[in-house]
Amino acid sequence: MAARLATVTETPSRSTKAEQTRQSIIDAAMRLFRSGGYDQATMRAIADEAGVSVGNAYYYFSSKEHLIQAYYDQIQHAHADAAEIPLAGETDFTGRLRGVLLAWVDVAEPYHEFAGKFFKNAAEPSSPLSPFSEESAAAREAAIQLHRRVVDGSDLKLAKDLRAELPELLWLLQMGIVLFWVHDTSPGQRQTRDLVDQSVPIIDRMLRLARLPGVRGVVDDVVGLIRLISPS
Amino acid sequence: MAARLATVTETPSRSTKAEQTRQSIIDAAMRLFRSGGYDQATMRAIADEAGVSVGNAYYYFSSKEHLIQAYYDQIQHAHADAAEIPLAGETDFTGRLRGVLLAWVDVAEPYHEFAGKFFKNAAEPSSPLSPFSEESAAAREAAIQLHRRVVDGSDLKLAKDLRAELPELLWLLQMGIVLFWVHDTSPGQRQTRDLVDQSVPIIDRMLRLARLPGVRGVVDDVVGLIRLISPS
DNA sequence: AGTCAGAGTTGAACACGTTCAAATATCGGA
DNA sequence: TCCGATATTTGAACGTGTTCAACTCTGACT
């Protein structure tokens, strides 16, 4: 920490004292979540680790959940980065989708033990951590945007309105996979990876089927239904 | 409460002191959950209302979650009862499914405010309240059995293996509806009722489609996948 | 009737997330 | 340079779910 002592002449405009405190609290929380899991990372321990008082931590984060949200955002960003690899090198729809979904499993793996506790809080409808909440709108939109790139960069042939709605459907698929993943206790979350491997080709075949005359009507209805229930 | 004093000569074999205490704790919890919502129903308040000490409540229920499970079971039973009406009077598949799903919304309505908090606890994978947990196996099996009756008593024509798996799929549908319902803040949960009304005909049409030659293969794969991931 | 192991019961104590009145630090303007 | 308003920081205190050593009661056996 001694190495951190400020080169005083540097303009402090970009990192005021307050910003430093805020960041040190996030950093301390990260360290404790990683090393000791969720239960060890009490607000008192986080404050201690950051070298501030409990009340001060609450000055910057109005609840423990808001502090955890930083963790959540970090996974999102790491996923977006990791997803670049399959998105850059693939044009096949199944390859792109599989790549993006498995990238999430890879990125999230270190957080798996922690995820159960996170998930618990995220499940409460009134929680800002809920994937359907107002506060998560930005993160949700970013995730949907990622799936839009999966679709747009692929050679998939689809009806216009289904193509427009597909990213949101793929996001719902991802939520389902996350739900499974949270409950997956197999080493390395192998079962979730198997689920992805098996789901993707099925999705692909269903989408091809959607062009059949008899099927098309039902698909339109499903799209209409999703549009009805999706948060927006 | 004075009216409760025991007619002493009665054989106490069926309700020992312990059983009475246990029941009075459940009853007190029910009363407080109903009147004051989840936050008011602290373990101390429950114990007070039941006329026992906090520690005693924990002697019978190893956590607040286990106490809540009694609540959960009560909804299940009420749903099973309410579902008898549509199950007795309908042979049309859509009518039966719609009736059973709406019966759930009706039965669960008084618990809606409470459900968010319950849901939060149920979401944690390690929680006994999780619908996928070991402890919930009995309740889960009962719910699937209910959907088996929806299918068996209907005039639905289906391939054998899909028919065998359909109750479990319908249970998953119900879990999805519950997820939506928890987030549904519309008065009387009207949006959830609309969702049921619109979903059921779509499900019906999809099942009819499943007999088409080109579609059948995908359906088989989906069934295989569900079989892979379902808890059992 | 007397005994005693175990069931049942108690309430103080613990650690947690959170709040808040009070203390202190910061910084632009006189 | 000093002032005052505002931003930041403190730690004791609250109510929560949960634990536990100690206590009382019950009922089966001598």
Side-chain angles (χ1 to χ4, degrees), chain A residues 43-224:
Chain A
M43 288 303 280
R44 283 167 181 81
I46 291 169
D48 272 5
E49 176 83 10
V52 300
S53 68
V54 194
N56 202 7
Y58 276 92
Y59 181 77
Y60 289 99
F61 301 93
S62 56
S63 73
K64 194 179 181 183
E65 288 190 346
H66 280 88
L67 189 44
I68 293 173
Q69 187 125 32
Y71 220 56
Y72 181 76
D73 291 346
Q74 183 167 289
I75 299 181
Q76 289 273 146
H77 281 108
H79 180 217
D81 289 348
E84 283 307 318
I85 296 168
L87 285 180
E90 282 273 2
T91 61
D92 176 50
F93 172 69
T94 58
R96 290 171 74 83
L97 179 58
R98 182 176 175 278
V100 167
L101 292 177
L102 287 182
W104 189 89
V105 180
D106 285 338
V107 162
E109 184 167 351
Y111 311 96
H112 185 265
E113 180 231 330
F114 169 77
K117 303 302 177 88
F118 173 81
F119 197 70
K120 169 176 176 166
N121 290 354
E124 193 176 10
S126 60
S127 166
L129 296 180
S130 165
F132 305 106
S133 77
E134 198 78 23
E135 287 93 334
S136 296
R140 182 172 64 245
E141 218 46 58
I144 292 175
Q145 207 57 37
L146 200 62
H147 284 295
R148 194 175 309 282
R149 288 184 58 206
V150 169
V151 175
D152 285 349
S154 79
D155 49 12
L156 199 63
K157 299 273 185 291
L158 282 180
K160 270 218 178 63
D161 52 350
L162 177 54
R163 194 183 186 90
E165 218 66 31
L166 188 54
E168 184 143 4
L169 290 173
L170 292 179
W171 178 75
L172 281 176
L173 169 70
Q174 193 186 328
M175 291 299 102
I177 289 170
V178 171
L179 175 62
F180 182 82
W181 174 82
V182 167
H183 289 83
D184 181 3
T185 56
S186 64
Q189 290 77 246
R190 173 134 306 280
Q191 287 189 33
T192 303
R193 295 170 198 273
D194 290 347
L195 175 62
V196 170
D197 283 337
Q198 296 203 38
S199 300
V200 169
I202 291 177
I203 301 284
D204 186 57
R205 288 172 64 194
M206 291 174 84
L207 289 173
R208 289 175 200 285
L209 245 44
R211 284 181 294 184
L212 288 182
V215 181
R216 184 130 185 207
V218 179
V219 171
D220 287 347
D221 285 354
V222 171
V223 168

Side-chain angles (χ1 to χ4, degrees), chain B:
Chain B
M1 283 303 127
R4 187 175 286 271
L5 50 81
T7 56
V8 186
T9 52
E10 200 176 291
T11 58
S13 60
R14 272 293 146 193
S15 71
T16 67
K17 185 80 186 312
E19 280 176 34
Q20 285 181 341
T21 305
R22 183 189 182 85
Q23 193 58 47
S24 74
I25 293 169
I26 291 181
D27 291 345
M30 298 292 171
R31 249 172 289 146
L32 289 183
F33 281 142
R34 276 189 191 280
S35 71
Y38 184 90
D39 287 335
Q40 303 295 332
T42 69
M43 289 302 281
R44 282 167 182 79
I46 292 170
D48 271 5
E49 175 83 10
V52 300
S53 68
V54 195
N56 202 7
Y58 276 91
Y59 181 78
Y60 289 99
F61 302 92
S62 56
S63 73
K64 197 179 181 182
E65 288 190 345
H66 280 89
L67 188 45
I68 293 172
Q69 187 125 33
Y71 220 55
Y72 182 76
D73 291 347
Q74 183 166 288
I75 300 180
Q76 290 273 146
H77 281 109
H79 180 218
D81 288 349
E84 283 307 317
I85 296 166
L87 285 179
E90 282 273 1
T91 60
D92 176 50
F93 172 69
T94 59
R96 291 171 74 83
L97 180 56
R98 182 176 175 278
V100 167
L101 292 177
L102 287 181
W104 190 88
V105 180
D106 285 338
V107 163
E109 183 167 350
Y111 309 97
H112 186 265
E113 180 232 329
F114 168 78
K117 303 302 178 90
F118 173 81
F119 197 70
K120 170 177 176 165
N121 290 352
E124 192 178 11
S126 60
S127 167
L129 296 181
S130 165
F132 306 105
S133 76
E134 198 78 23
E135 287 93 334
S136 296
R140 182 171 64 245
E141 216 46 57
I144 292 174
Q145 206 58 37
L146 200 61
H147 285 295
R148 194 176 307 282
R149 288 184 57 206
V150 169
V151 176
D152 285 350
S154 80
D155 49 13
L156 199 63
K157 299 274 184 291
L158 283 180
K160 270 218 177 64
D161 52 350
L162 178 54
R163 195 183 185 92
E165 218 65 31
L166 187 54
E168 186 144 4
L169 289 172
L170 293 179
W171 178 76
L172 282 176
L173 169 70
Q174 193 187 328
M175 290 298 102
I177 289 170
V178 170
L179 175 61
F180 182 81
W181 174 83
V182 168
H183 289 83
D184 182 3
T185 57
S186 64
Q189 290 75 246
R190 173 135 306 280
Q191 286 189 32
T192 303
R193 295 171 198 274
D194 291 347
L195 175 61
V196 170
D197 282 337
Q198 297 204 37
S199 299
V200 168
I202 291 177
I203 300 283
D204 186 56
R205 287 172 64 194
M206 290 175 85
L207 290 173
R208 289 176 200 284
L209 245 44
R211 283 180 295 184
L212 288 182
V215 181
R216 182 129 188 210
V218 179
V219 171
D220 286 348
D221 285 355
V222 171
V223 167
L225 188 58
I226 298 290
R227 213 185 297 248
L228 183 74
I229 70 172
S230 71
S232 59

Side-chain angles (χ1 to χ4, degrees), chain A residues 14-65:
Chain A
R14 272 292 147 193
S15 71
T16 68
K17 184 81 188 310
E19 280 177 35
Q20 285 180 341
T21 305
R22 184 190 180 84
Q23 194 57 49
S24 74
I25 292 169
I26 291 181
D27 291 346
M30 298 292 172
R31 248 172 290 146
L32 288 183
F33 280 143
R34 276 189 190 281
S35 72
Y38 185 89
D39 288 334
Q40 303 294 334
T42 68
M43 288 303 280
R44 283 167 181 81
I46 291 169
D48 272 5
E49 176 83 10
V52 300
S53 68
V54 194
N56 202 7
Y58 276 92
Y59 181 77
Y60 289 99
F61 301 93
S62 56
S63 73
K64 194 179 181 183
E65 288 190 346

